[in-house]
Amino acid sequence: NAAVTCATCANATCEAASQKCTEGSVSDLALGDWQCGCVAPLVGYANASMAVCTLDECAAECPTCGNATCALAGQVCVDSDTDAASIRDWICVCPAPYEGNATYGPAACRIDECEA
């Protein structure tokens, strides 16, 4: 069954967490099958309760996200803390054989010619 927006299930529970409520089935035999889902760019869902939302600022599209910034510099974006409240903490990492990284922006990459 395709999920549909809840009209009366547990909308208040989800809305209290700024989440979207979806109903798995409208059958009277399927009570309690609603879910709270995080709203993009946050990710996560939970059955019959508020979801724990995460934010990977290197995978999502958002004003504080870094994937495009790092990619334009030829670097890799890494967000090691995906807690939804942890923003602007992603890093750009230089590709091998270069070394270096920077938080919330492109790194100044360097190469040690004696080590490369």
Side-chain angles (χ1 to χ4, degrees):
N1 291 340
V4 295
T5 301
C6 290
T8 58
C9 63
N11 215 22
T13 299
C14 299
E15 284 182 353
S18 299
Q19 298 174 1
K20 182 179 178 182
C21 182
T22 55
E23 177 67 77
S25 172
V26 293
S27 167
D28 289 343
L29 301 176
L31 297 176
D33 65 339
W34 56 274
Q35 294 182 335
C36 286
C38 303
V39 178
L42 302 177
V43 177
Y45 69 91
N47 293 323
S49 67
M50 288 186 233
V52 174
C53 300
T54 61
L55 174 62
D56 182 341
E57 291 181 287
C58 292
E61 294 292 325
C62 65
T64 63
C65 292
N67 202 32
T69 300
C70 296
L72 284 173
Q75 300 170 7
V76 176
C77 185
V78 177
D79 186 1
S80 59
D81 186 351
T82 58
D83 184 284
S86 178
I87 59 171
R88 297 182 185 92
D89 62 342
W90 50 268
I91 61 172
C92 288
V93 178
C94 301
Y98 297 94
E99 297 177 349
N101 64 64
T103 302
Y104 196 58
C109 298
R110 61 194 176 285
I111 187 167
D112 183 340
E113 293 179 287
C114 294
E115 296 292 324

